[in-house]
Amino acid sequence: MSDVSIGIVGGGLMGRELAAAIGRWAALEDHPVRPRLEAVCDTSPTARAWFERIDSVRLLTDDRRALLEDPELDVLYLAVPHHLHEELYLEAIAAGKDFLGEKPFGIDLGAARRIVAALDASPGVFARCSSEMPYFPGAQLAYETISSGALGELIEVEHAFLHSSDLDRAKPINWKRRAEFCGELGVMNDLGMHVMHLPLRLGWRPRSVYAVLQDIVRERPGPDGEPVRCDTWDNATLHADAGFPLTLAMKRIAPGETNTWRLRALGMDGGVEFSTASPKAVRRFSVRDGRQVWERLETGSQSAFATVTGPIFEFGFSDAILQMWAAYLAERAGALRDRLGCVTPAEALAAHEILHAAQESGATGSAMMVAAAAS
Ligand SMILES: NC(=O)c1ccc[n+]([C@@H]2O[C@H](COP(=O)([O-])OP(=O)(O)OC[C@H]3O[C@@H](n4cnc5c(N)ncnc54)[C@H](O)[C@@H]3O)[C@@H](O)[C@H]2O)c1
């Protein structure tokens, strides 16, 4: 087993999730790597103070250079607002640091191109992009079923990632609801990678896309309670031509849905459906004795990287974060084997190519061709 020292830049919602996942690392059976959280950079004193509870953290700072220049740190987790991705990821590459970068891997297509070009020029840097939802055991079973070819010729695929907290018009504005910090792509920057990871890994790169983009809530209360322009897309529904109809939905306003990730694929020989709203079950379609059958398989918590958790127990978001980090560190160590790897830089760029076409489609009202990925 090898030890890996980790530093976090951006100790907010997701930085704390990684700290918690490392704290639960012993739940993994036989993982080849043992991570240790040693340093955290955040410009907010409140955010930094949270990490005082982690005994292994030896450095808390507001200066990211301290992490970039620290020879003891092997891997960085870069989890900052989108307008900082390009600058920070390029700095990490220049410093020769391996990293898991949060999505969307650059605020827009131009930023993603420059990050991926820098990575292409620095093959020694092992970089991946975050996307944890495909590590739910049900998502893994759906992915394996599709990639095995068991569905036969594909008829159609629907894939969605759905939130609903923005249904509350009184929810205060934050950086994710302002184009300046989140990016012009709005919800597509926020939730897009979650519905791109498996389609791109399965080779479904759309030729064209028609997007219906919605800006439903246009103002939100600012810090002083006064209304502030909320200038990001709330919901995006992409109708893509991937050789079959591929519908990709990303919504902040989907009544009744709380972080619901779902995938439904139908082919001539079978179908499969999984939703994190029912985390223990996968539905599979087949025709048996001339009858159409949807059957429900109980998947439990049996994940790609085995854990101490009993197989009948429920799997959740924090388990998915643990599995994603297990995949990142295993792949970095050359021990991923046949498991699903994290989003590659080339896939992150391909996702941006699709989302850029979707943004143009929303602006023009026409279907747009998706540019060939540069890398
Ligand atoms: N994978 C997922 O499921 C998931 C979920 C939420 C967010 N994200 C992504 O994670 C990233 C961060 O989102 P979040 O929800 O954690 O945001 P957050 O606002 O909770 O945390 C961001 C942190 O970055 C800090 N920060 C800002 N500027 C900084 C700087 N110059 N140097 C150091 N720290 C700085 C802020 O003080 C804050 O603590 C984004 O890219 C977002 O899209 C991913």
Side-chain angles (χ1 to χ4, degrees):
M1 178 176 301
S2 62
D3 291 323
V4 169
S5 301
I6 297 195
I8 294 174
V9 184
L13 179 73
M14 294 312 293
R16 292 192 294 272
E17 283 292 342
L18 170 58
I22 292 174
R24 202 169 163 258
W25 203 260
L28 292 166
E29 304 272 21
D30 302 327
H31 195 276
V33 175
R34 183 168 43 207
R36 183 179 161 84
L37 179 59
E38 295 200 3
V40 178
C41 166
D42 200 295
T43 44
S44 154
T46 314
R48 287 198 303 276
W50 185 90
F51 290 88
E52 287 169 6
R53 72 192 64 189
I54 313 275
D55 291 341
S56 60
V57 173
R58 59 175 166 79
L59 175 64
L60 277 174
T61 177
D62 63 356
D63 179 6
R64 62 190 192 237
R65 292 243 56 95
L67 274 67
L68 293 165
E69 291 170 2
D70 187 333
E72 302 301 319
L73 293 177
D74 304 304
V75 167
L76 297 180
Y77 177 39
L78 308 179
V80 293
H82 305 163
H83 67 296
L84 300 170
H85 282 195
E86 180 179 357
E87 189 181 344
L88 179 54
Y89 295 13
L90 291 179
E91 285 175 356
I93 297 163
K97 289 288 187 203
D98 292 347
F99 66 92
L100 183 76
E102 263 302 339
K103 46 84 184 164
F105 222 71
I107 196 166
D108 56 21
L109 176 57
R113 281 189 175 142
R114 290 185 286 276
I115 294 166
V116 175
L119 283 167
D120 287 346
S122 308
V125 173
F126 180 73
R128 291 289 182 266
C129 176
S130 173
S131 158
E132 68 283 355
M133 304 307 281
Y135 291 94
F136 269 73
Q140 300 263 313
L141 181 57
Y143 169 69
E144 284 158 17
T145 305
I146 298 167
S147 55
S148 74
L151 304 192
E153 186 181 350
L154 285 168
I155 303 167
E156 61 185 35
V157 176
E158 294 172 8
H159 197 7
F161 196 48
L162 309 172
H163 285 190
S164 61
S165 64
D166 282 20
L167 194 54
D168 177 7
R169 289 184 186 271
K171 179 178 163 180
I173 193 100
N174 60 28
W175 67 261
K176 293 174 189 171
R177 274 82 193 158
R178 296 180 62 191
E180 184 185 351
F181 306 110
C182 177
E184 298 288 334
L185 292 170
V187 69
M188 296 184 281
N189 261 354
D190 234 7
L191 306 182
M193 202 64 72
H194 295 290
V195 294
M196 297 285 170
H197 187 174
L198 290 191
L200 289 168
R201 193 58 59 95
L202 287 159
W204 303 338
R205 194 166 192 286
R207 289 188 283 260
S208 65
V209 61
Y210 174 74
V212 180
L213 309 180
Q214 296 170 280
D215 185 9
I216 300 167
V217 178
R218 297 176 178 217
E219 285 183 339
R220 289 196 172 275
D224 56 3
E226 289 300 307
V228 174
R229 178 83 177 97
C230 180
D231 58 353
T232 52
W233 298 118
D234 295 312
N235 288 358
T237 305
L238 278 51
H239 301 282
D241 176 2
F244 54 85
L246 171 63
T247 306
L248 302 170
M250 295 138 263
K251 300 184 183 179
R252 289 174 176 162
I253 304 181
E257 308 289 358
T258 52
N259 216 45
T260 302
W261 182 100
R262 69 171 180 241
L263 174 65
R264 175 184 167 95
L266 294 175
M268 290 300 288
D269 298 334
V272 66
E273 183 174 48
F274 172 70
S275 168
T276 56
S278 299
K280 291 195 293 184
V282 170
R283 292 188 349 122
R284 279 205 304 218
F285 178 83
S286 59
V287 178
R288 283 193 218 138
D289 302 327
R291 293 188 184 276
Q292 302 189 51
V293 181
W294 272 107
E295 62 185 354
R296 179 184 151 115
L297 283 75
E298 302 297 329
T299 53
S301 65
Q302 293 167 66
S303 42
F305 292 87
T307 67
V308 295
T309 306
I312 61 162
F313 296 146
E314 297 84 355
F315 190 96
F317 178 83
S318 43
D319 298 301
I321 295 286
L322 180 66
Q323 290 288 318
M324 175 183 74
W325 273 96
Y328 173 83
L329 292 173
E331 187 173 6
R332 179 177 179 272
L336 185 64
R337 300 211 290 265
D338 58 352
R339 300 182 187 95
L340 176 73
C342 297
V343 173
T344 65
E347 287 168 338
L349 179 54
H352 265 290
E353 300 275 4
I354 296 164
L355 297 178
H356 180 78
Q359 171 81 337
E360 289 191 322
S361 171
T364 60
S366 304
M368 300 300 295
M369 299 305 288
V370 177
S375 164

